Amino acid sequence: MYNTIIMPVDVFEMALSDKAVRHAEFLAQQEGIIHLLHVLPGSASLTMSRFAADLRRFEEHLYHEAETRLKTMVDHFSIDPSRIKTHVLMGNVRDVVNDLAEELKADVVVIGSRNPSIATHLLGSNASSVIRHAHVPVLVVR
């Protein structure tokens, strides 16, 4: 059915992702590959050189923590772990998801989302931003 599925997750807010896991598994069926993706915010706007070393250490810590949490998330799936790939990338969620989808020639993006609140209606959310700019189908799971 779907060979390449991208599933953006926030490893620091796993409740959103837990609901989407079963949907991604269903779409993967027998042979599909699920690409779990966590996006760390880029720090290019922080140009204070005297804090650069501390910032780099903090980013490295976040990167390793995200990798560790993604690897433990693989256990939440009932499909063969060899069919689940993990990615930790930096940047804007919308852009990183769409760039990875293009690079991997993804068939679909599966993303968890919370129910809309006044904050998400006024400010937008990662899920809505991904949907507006995606070039592949997006399944939003609430």
Side-chain angles (χ1 to χ4, degrees):
M1 184 167 206
Y2 293 99
N3 294 319
T4 306
I5 299 164
I6 296 178
M7 187 175 157
V9 297
D10 183 347
V11 296
F12 301 107
E13 193 173 341
M14 296 299 278
L16 288 177
S17 304
D18 286 342
K19 295 184 276 183
V21 166
R22 300 298 160 240
H23 289 78
E25 282 183 324
F26 177 77
L27 294 176
Q29 296 290 318
Q30 304 299 320
E31 299 172 8
I33 304 292
I34 298 172
H35 294 266
L36 293 177
L37 167 66
H38 178 77
V39 180
L40 294 170
S43 61
S45 63
L46 301 174
T47 58
M48 297 180 173
S49 61
R50 68 182 198 187
F51 298 111
D54 291 335
L55 182 60
R56 205 169 16 261
R57 279 195 301 274
F58 180 66
E59 287 175 341
E60 288 172 6
H61 170 74
L62 285 178
Y63 182 89
H64 293 300
E65 183 66 23
E67 276 186 326
T68 301
R69 289 183 184 211
L70 275 180
K71 287 176 183 163
T72 61
M73 187 177 180
V74 171
D75 295 336
H76 294 159
F77 288 83
S78 60
I79 64 174
D80 184 351
S82 68
R83 293 177 46 213
I84 302 172
K85 309 296 181 202
T86 60
H87 307 266
V88 178
L89 301 172
M90 293 189 85
N92 173 287
V93 173
R94 175 198 68 208
D95 296 337
V96 171
V97 169
N98 288 319
D99 290 347
L100 187 62
E102 187 174 319
E103 177 185 327
L104 298 174
K105 296 181 178 28
D107 298 306
V108 66
V109 173
V110 177
I111 189 168
S113 179
R114 62 178 55 88
N115 289 326
S117 66
I118 191 66
T120 57
H121 281 298
L122 293 175
L123 301 174
S125 68
N126 286 327
S128 65
S129 184
V130 168
I131 291 167
R132 281 194 305 272
H133 295 88
H135 299 287
V136 298
V138 178
L139 172 63
V140 178
V141 180
R142 290 195 177 165

